[in-house]
Amino acid sequence: AQSVTQLDSQVPVFEEAPVELRCNYSSSVSVYLFWYVQYPNQGLQLLLKYLSGSTLVKGINGFEAEFNKSQTSFHLRKPSVHISDTAEYFCAVSERAAGNKLTFGGGTRVLVKP
Amino acid sequence: NAGVMQNPRHLVRRRGQEARLRCSPMKGHSHVYWYRQLPEEGLKFMVYLQKENIIDESGMPKERFSAEFPKEGPSILRIQQVVRGDSAAYFCASSPPVGTQLRDTGELFFGEGSRLTVL
């Protein structure tokens, strides 16, 4: 069985400062990795995904993530946040041989302060 | 190109009533997934269906919950005899059929959710 751990439940950050959201996963097989964002009272929107190839993945809204197989991590980063980045961020994995079923972490709430 | 459509967006029920949540997948998608998000928690997988077939229901509670995806019409998540603990946001997601490129990447496309409140 696979699992996802997001180490920080809340991350306060000042506008224009960098932010890193941590994600670790466990799985006995190869996985695909995802970061989704959820704005208040809305659904989930895909930020970026890692399938294979380059371990540094760039997504929408200036976000990027790095896959580290040895540390089983997929941390999300943005060099300079905006007020509009205030949202909840979810890391997720799916096992390549098991269809599209996603397992989500508990989420990290980012609050950007002016 | 409409995305995943869920309705109702908000539903209020009294304890003991039934709740029915509907989900229409994106055009061309044949697989539907239901997730539940309890307050202040992440999303938990409930069930995965394709037309007229349940593929994986390992996350469904053993009682009162059922899901279907008929040949025609939307997928329906049904909760009988609701209790306060059922209050949550229920999200539907869809994906393309097997063999298409997107199907192999595991990406799901989510609706905006149905928020159930049980009084």
Side-chain angles (χ1 to χ4, degrees):
Chain A
Q2 53 194 342
S3 66
V4 180
T5 302
Q6 292 183 242
L7 297 165
D8 306 297
S9 59
Q10 293 189 58
V11 174
V13 58
F14 286 105
E15 194 174 15
E16 298 184 9
V19 70
E20 179 178 80
L21 309 184
R22 295 178 293 169
C23 172
N24 288 89
Y25 70 93
S26 66
S27 176
S28 57
V29 299
S30 295
V31 297
Y32 297 128
L33 296 154
F34 305 83
W35 275 98
Y36 282 84
V37 60
Q38 183 182 31
Y39 298 104
N41 296 315
Q42 294 188 24
L44 276 74
Q45 179 182 2
L46 182 69
L47 273 179
L48 48 79
K49 59 188 176 186
Y50 172 78
L51 309 177
S52 64
S54 173
T55 57
L56 183 63
V57 180
K58 293 190 182 297
I60 63 171
N61 301 340
F63 284 93
E64 63 180 31
E66 187 155 19
F67 170 55
N68 188 318
K69 188 174 182 180
S70 62
Q71 296 186 7
T72 60
S73 68
F74 190 54
H75 301 333
L76 180 72
R77 293 189 290 263
K78 185 170 181 176
S80 175
V81 296
H82 302 288
I83 295 288
S84 59
D85 292 324
T86 293
E88 188 141 23
Y89 294 80
F90 293 97
C91 181
V93 302
S94 68
E95 293 183 350
R96 297 189 182 195
N100 289 25
K101 175 181 165 184
L102 291 177
T103 299
F104 284 89
T108 298
R109 186 159 294 174
V110 173
L111 176 60
V112 181
K113 302 177 181 180
Chain B
N1 184 19
V4 177
M5 303 301 291
Q6 290 189 249
N7 68 84
R9 292 290 310 277
H10 300 276
L11 182 63
V12 178
R13 285 288 179 267
R14 296 191 180 279
R15 282 180 295 170
Q17 291 184 319
E18 179 179 287
R20 286 193 179 215
L21 310 177
R22 289 176 290 278
C23 170
S24 296
M26 284 181 70
K27 186 177 181 180
H29 286 190
S30 57
H31 295 76
V32 165
Y33 306 74
W34 286 94
Y35 285 80
R36 177 165 63 175
Q37 184 178 32
L38 294 169
E40 307 301 319
E41 293 188 18
L43 281 80
K44 304 295 184 188
F45 170 78
M46 299 181 75
V47 62
Y48 160 34
L49 313 98
Q50 61 181 147
K51 290 281 186 181
E52 299 184 286
N53 193 21
I54 295 175
I55 306 299
D56 181 346
E57 57 181 347
S58 59
M60 287 283 269
K62 298 299 181 197
E63 298 177 343
R64 301 188 296 106
F65 285 73
S66 63
E68 63 177 7
F69 189 15
K71 186 175 180 181
E72 301 291 338
S75 174
I76 295 175
L77 180 67
R78 181 183 179 201
I79 311 171
Q80 295 177 288
Q81 299 174 330
V82 296
V83 301
R84 288 207 175 123
D86 296 333
S87 294
Y90 292 83
F91 288 94
C92 172
S94 70
S95 69
V98 175
T100 58
Q101 184 177 5
L102 274 178
R103 179 69 173 82
D104 294 334
T105 69
E107 182 176 350
L108 298 184
F109 297 81
F110 283 84
E112 295 199 334
S114 292
R115 284 157 180 81
L116 172 65
T117 301
V118 180
L119 302 177

